[in-house]
Amino acid sequence: MARKIFPFFSLLCLIALFSSCKKEYSVETGITTVDATGSLKDSSGNCLPASVVGTFYNGVTPGSDTAYVEVKVNVDTAGSYVITTDLQNGFMFADSGFFSTTGINIVRLKPIGTPILQKPTFFTVYFDTSICGFTVNVNDSTGSGLGGDGGGGGIDDTTNLSDTAWQFSQGVNKYNGIFDQAFVVDTLGGSYMVLIGSTAETGDTAFVLSIPTLGGVITPGTYTTLTTSVFYLQDLFAGPPSIFSANFLTAPDFITINILTYDASTKIVTGNFNGTSKDAAGNTVPITSGSFKAFITY
């Protein structure tokens, strides 16, 4: 059964925010680097032009080497950067790196997620205190993988569904579904296990858990969203605010996540989670009976 691949936009934006709130220390050089500053606009306050490269199709995961967006950044201070867009129509764009020179720099924003609808899609892009935007035309597709990179567009996912399940309760409401992606990723903020799922009934809601790893090694133990773990349930079509969210910005509300087991031979991870989170209105709500079982694909 072909399954949608959902973006981990909430995780990426959170890690980007967390990384941008602190200076980076280089083990190799012993030099503390600073965050880059600058603008997506020129000296007159006009947004610098963005270039959309490649073709995007609904239902097909775009290849980051063939479909991306180049934005110009007027850099005032050299340093580390994270540039992201908002989530629209099931996908977004982001990139991170280091500006070594001031003045105009070109950044290639890579796509994350899969376009859902065939339509022109407008994105808001953020850097430092500046905000600009660009439009990506999403073309019609039969789901045969046109424009994709083998990352999920038009390809059946053969993962055993019994190994990809999540659930939790919020009051009398129960939520559950499958995992569409489960992997370990390296970012500027460290290495994380990322679990991304969708609700079983509608498929229009993204469930996200992210837990830090020790150098990419998944380790049983207790983790909390007070530090670098995150918990989200997000409506893919409505966008922010999240239905439920817990991260270091929502303290004192937090979710405790326990990795109970991880089998490196089968790549199956199991765990549970409970605590309190914020709802869309910013209220504190209990999250109970949370559990997960996922097959780590890469």
Side-chain angles (χ1 to χ4, degrees):
M1 176 180 64
R3 290 157 54 192
K4 294 179 182 177
I5 304 298
F6 292 100
F8 54 101
F9 72 96
S10 297
L11 166 70
L12 182 64
C13 291
L14 183 64
I15 292 174
L17 180 58
F18 182 77
S19 299
S20 66
C21 289
K22 59 182 180 180
K23 295 182 179 180
E24 299 292 332
Y25 184 81
S26 171
V27 175
E28 292 81 4
T29 64
I31 298 174
T32 302
T33 61
V34 299
D35 298 325
T37 63
S39 178
L40 297 167
K41 301 180 179 181
D42 60 23
S43 58
S44 299
N46 299 312
C47 287
L48 295 167
S51 300
V52 179
V53 178
T55 307
F56 295 80
Y57 298 90
N58 66 311
V60 177
T61 302
S64 59
D65 292 332
T66 57
Y68 51 87
V69 175
E70 290 185 339
V71 296
K72 293 182 178 180
V73 183
N74 191 2
V75 178
D76 294 328
T77 304
S80 300
Y81 71 86
V82 177
I83 300 176
T84 66
T85 71
D86 55 351
L87 172 78
Q88 295 293 338
N89 195 16
F91 69 124
M92 63 173 291
F93 294 85
D95 187 59
S96 62
F98 187 88
F99 289 129
S100 58
T101 61
T102 58
I104 300 297
N105 284 255
I106 297 177
V107 174
R108 177 180 295 186
L109 299 180
K110 303 173 183 64
I112 300 170
T114 305
I116 299 173
L117 303 176
Q118 175 199 357
K119 66 174 185 177
T121 305
F122 180 80
F123 293 91
T124 303
V125 58
Y126 308 88
F127 173 68
D128 200 359
T129 59
S130 62
I131 300 174
C132 285
F134 56 82
T135 298
V136 173
N137 289 318
V138 178
N139 297 278
D140 188 26
S141 171
T142 60
S144 60
L146 294 175
D149 61 353
I155 298 177
D156 287 344
D157 187 340
T158 58
T159 301
N160 186 343
L161 293 183
S162 66
D163 292 332
T164 58
W166 61 270
Q167 65 178 8
F168 70 88
S169 297
Q170 197 291 296
V172 298
N173 298 314
K174 298 182 183 298
Y175 302 84
N176 67 88
I178 59 176
F179 285 114
D180 299 283
Q181 290 185 347
F183 54 91
V184 175
V185 62
D186 289 319
T187 74
L188 287 177
S191 176
Y192 297 83
M193 179 182 73
V194 184
L195 308 179
I196 307 169
S198 55
T199 45
E201 294 82 2
T202 61
D204 60 357
T205 304
F207 170 80
V208 179
L209 276 182
S210 170
I211 304 167
T213 67
L214 299 175
V217 178
I218 299 172
T219 306
T222 299
Y223 304 83
T224 173
T225 60
L226 285 175
T227 52
T228 52
S229 296
V230 297
F231 160 82
Y232 280 100
L233 188 69
Q234 177 77 44
D235 188 322
L236 285 175
F237 296 98
S242 301
I243 301 172
F244 305 117
S245 63
N247 53 66
F248 73 95
L249 295 177
T250 62
D253 295 313
F254 68 95
I255 299 292
T256 298
I257 305 171
N258 297 301
I259 296 181
L260 300 178
T261 64
Y262 177 65
D263 189 326
S265 60
T266 62
K267 297 185 178 180
I268 299 295
V269 62
T270 67
N272 58 40
F273 57 95
N274 293 277
T276 58
S277 76
K278 297 295 187 185
D279 64 11
N283 301 312
T284 296
V285 295
I287 301 296
T288 60
S289 303
S291 64
F292 60 88
K293 181 180 181 181
F295 174 73
I296 306 299
T297 56
Y298 59 94

